[in-house]
């Protein structure tokens, strides 16, 4: 298996297809196009012509970065691909962040994924993440 990493090339259609591979409700094409255009940095991992993993990052390039939508196709999980993507995200932060400063890197994870992220130094804090699905009229 020879994997290729691509930067900032993941399309909305590819995002939706990959998102659907792990279950759950997929976003609309229009939403996803807007999201891809406004994502700070995105990674996709390919096995030949098949997208097998992705991750996105939001942030202000100064104080805060937020890791979002880390997805690996089920049949490719537990092969080091998630680790490879997180390493690439941290490389982006290191290459683009303000030198000599500390930067807040955040993410939200389902309980069963927390041990994976703890390997990278993430830890839980007492703040509770609040969310709301707001219906745009």
């Amino acid at each position: 298996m020879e994997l290729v990493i691509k930067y900032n090339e993941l399309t909305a259609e590819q995002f939706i297809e990959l998102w659907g591979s792990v279950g759950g409700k997929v976003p609309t094409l229009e939403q996803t196009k807007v999201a891809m255009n406004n994502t700070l940095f995105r990674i996709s991992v390919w096995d030949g012509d098949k997208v097998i993993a992705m991750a996105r990052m939001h942030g202000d390039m100064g104080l805060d970065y937020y890791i979002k939508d880390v997805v690996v196709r089920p049949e490719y999980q537990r092969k080091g691909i998630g680790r490879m993507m997180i390493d690439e995200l941290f490389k982006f932060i290191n290459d683009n962040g303000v030198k000599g400063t500390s930067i807040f890197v955040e993410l939200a994870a389902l309980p069963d994924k927390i041990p994976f992220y703890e390997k990278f130094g993430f830890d839980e804090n007492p703040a509770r993440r609040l969310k709301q699905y707001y219906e745009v009229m």
Side-chain angles (χ1 to χ4, degrees):
M1 172 172 62
E2 186 173 333
L3 302 179
V4 174
I5 300 173
K6 296 183 181 181
Y7 305 100
N8 299 318
E9 293 184 21
L10 186 72
T11 67
E13 294 83 0
Q14 292 161 344
F15 178 99
I16 290 169
E17 192 276 328
L18 184 55
W19 186 275
S21 76
V22 295
K25 182 180 176 189
V26 298
T28 69
L29 182 59
E30 183 179 2
Q31 280 180 302
T32 308
K33 284 181 178 180
V34 170
M36 293 301 103
N37 288 335
N38 290 289
T39 296
L40 180 61
F41 181 62
R42 62 190 187 271
I43 300 167
S44 52
V45 181
W46 296 77
D47 184 1
D49 62 355
K50 181 179 183 179
V51 62
I52 62 163
M54 67 179 176
R56 298 190 310 137
M57 183 176 291
H58 302 288
D60 59 20
M61 304 284 288
L63 299 173
D64 191 59
Y65 290 87
Y66 192 88
I67 296 173
K68 186 86 174 103
D69 303 328
V70 178
V71 176
V72 179
R73 284 187 190 277
E75 64 270 27
Y76 287 88
Q77 292 176 5
R78 303 203 183 287
K79 298 180 186 298
I81 297 167
R83 172 172 286 284
M84 180 175 60
M85 290 191 302
I86 298 297
D87 287 343
E88 289 291 326
L89 294 173
F90 276 111
K91 182 181 182 309
F92 176 84
I93 294 168
N94 197 61
D95 291 348
N96 295 280
V98 177
K99 302 301 180 209
T101 66
S102 295
I103 299 171
F104 218 13
V105 181
E106 301 175 275
L107 58 80
L110 294 171
D112 66 319
K113 304 299 183 199
I114 290 172
F116 170 76
Y117 292 109
E118 288 176 333
K119 295 175 190 174
F120 296 94
F122 287 95
D123 62 355
E124 293 184 73
N125 64 33
R128 302 270 325 247
R129 180 176 177 248
L130 305 176
K131 71 174 186 163
Q132 175 188 144
Y133 283 111
Y134 179 82
E135 187 72 28
V136 179
M137 303 291 172

